[in-house]
Amino acid sequence: MLYEHPDIVEAAVVGVPDEHYGEEVAAIIAARPGSELDAAEVSRWARERLSAYKIPRIVRFVDALPEGPEREDPQAVHPPYGARPRHVGRRRCRPPALGVRRFVIMVSDSSTVPRMDSTAPEEIDGEKVPPMAPLSHLREPPTTKRGARTRAALVKAARKVFERDGYLDTRLTDITKEAQCAAGSFYTYFASKEEVLAAVLLEAQEDMMHPGMGRVQDTDDPYAVLEASNRAYLEAYKRNAKLMGLLEQVAQVEPEFREFRRRRADAFIRRNARGIAELQARGVADREVDPMMASRALSGMVSVMAYNAFVLGEPQEEGTPVDFEELVTTVTRLWANALRFPGHR
């Protein structure tokens, strides 16, 4: 039946494990290049032609179906509706190639999907930093150059659309249109808007890494290290201001992303707290303040000021945009004054 659709080049229907029903119907489809076929259209097509229990509840798009040793001409096995099959008698339609079933089981069970190497945890002072998004939202990367190019184009387009329209107002068709690819192609690489957002964030996280206070050596000028760290953070924030604004929006509506965001921020706060503790041990910083509490307060101050300046665009004075150098100087002096650096008390 699926082969009757003008935009379907190849298709396979198989059963996949289901917690409630034991097994569920899944359709694996290779769409005609340039078509805008999507899962909703496949479901509509099936509902008009099949009994309810035969309708695929899961639809996945691929570039091409895996080839098995007994692969046949689709038109020979699935002739146009109403036409007599070429092969009659004992020869029957064979089940899909074994590779298809293995592919479907891999898609349906996220625990079996290998994770992308690029999402390996970052480290600061030997401590692993949580990624910017859940790794469970990723699937196996494409194995072909064409697939890798298409996925990269979708991620690039998704970031542009997310930053332009916001997370809540972004539609998947807007992303595929921006990427100049068929709507159905999206589902070859991503299952949902949450999944492509995770890919966008994980790709941007390297650029969002910043030195922080780090470990201050005896020979270092602590004020210079602090200023360099604040500068690096503010520069990264400014470069990614639209994305940082998007993160604020997503954190309000997606609890899983909000938790990852909190855990990642805590890792940097702990790192800064260790830096403050070392300065206290050297007699550079006020020993009366709690390192963790001071780090949380001062790091939060810089983060809020960056958000106000680069996301909200709040002016420094009426009609005057914030001067970047003055912002760096101000937050650095506030840090130094709060920790009572020598010469800043």
Side-chain angles (χ1 to χ4, degrees), residues 135-182:
L135 298 186
S136 60
H137 285 275
L138 291 181
R139 62 176 61 176
E140 187 178 10
T143 57
T144 65
K145 291 183 179 179
R146 177 184 175 187
R149 286 196 303 268
T150 302
R151 185 186 185 279
L154 285 167
V155 173
K156 181 179 180 181
R159 175 166 182 171
K160 183 174 181 179
V161 176
F162 278 136
E163 291 179 346
R164 183 190 68 205
D165 300 341
Y167 178 71
L168 296 177
D169 293 331
T170 291
R171 301 176 302 173
L172 298 184
T173 52
D174 297 330
I175 295 174
T176 54
K177 182 179 179 181
E178 180 66 33
Q180 297 182 342
C181 66

Side-chain angles (χ1 to χ4, degrees), residues 182-203:
S185 298
F186 179 90
Y187 297 99
T188 302
Y189 310 97
F190 306 103
S192 63
K193 184 163 67 172
E194 292 83 0
E195 196 170 295
V196 72
L197 173 64
V200 169
L201 295 177
L202 291 168
E203 196 167 278

Side-chain angles (χ1 to χ4, degrees), residues 209-215 225-226 228-230 232-233 268 271-272:
M209 282 290 287
H210 54 88
M213 274 199 67
R215 300 175 64 84
V225 172
L226 178 59
S229 298
N230 282 331
Y233 173 79
F268 286 98
R271 186 264 304 274
N272 285 343

Side-chain angles (χ1 to χ4, degrees), residues 5-71:
H5 194 289
D7 286 336
I8 293 179
V9 177
E10 297 179 300
V13 178
V14 297
V16 295
D18 182 84
E19 289 184 359
H20 186 67
Y21 296 104
E23 192 171 67
E24 189 60 273
V25 179
I28 311 301
I29 294 171
R32 176 177 58 80
S35 76
E36 296 186 358
L37 184 67
D38 58 15
E41 167 61 15
V42 173
S43 297
R44 181 197 66 77
W45 180 269
R47 280 196 303 271
E48 294 177 354
R49 292 163 175 79
L50 295 175
S51 301
Y53 73 93
K54 294 181 179 180
I55 298 173
R57 308 298 176 188
I58 301 170
V59 179
R60 292 288 184 268
F61 290 88
V62 297
D63 291 333
L65 295 185
E67 294 196 20
E70 297 182 334
R71 177 107 175 241

Side-chain angles (χ1 to χ4, degrees), residues 307-320:
Y307 179 80
N308 290 343
F310 304 130
V311 177
L312 299 184
E314 290 186 354
Q316 184 169 328
E317 297 177 0
E318 190 65 32
T320 303

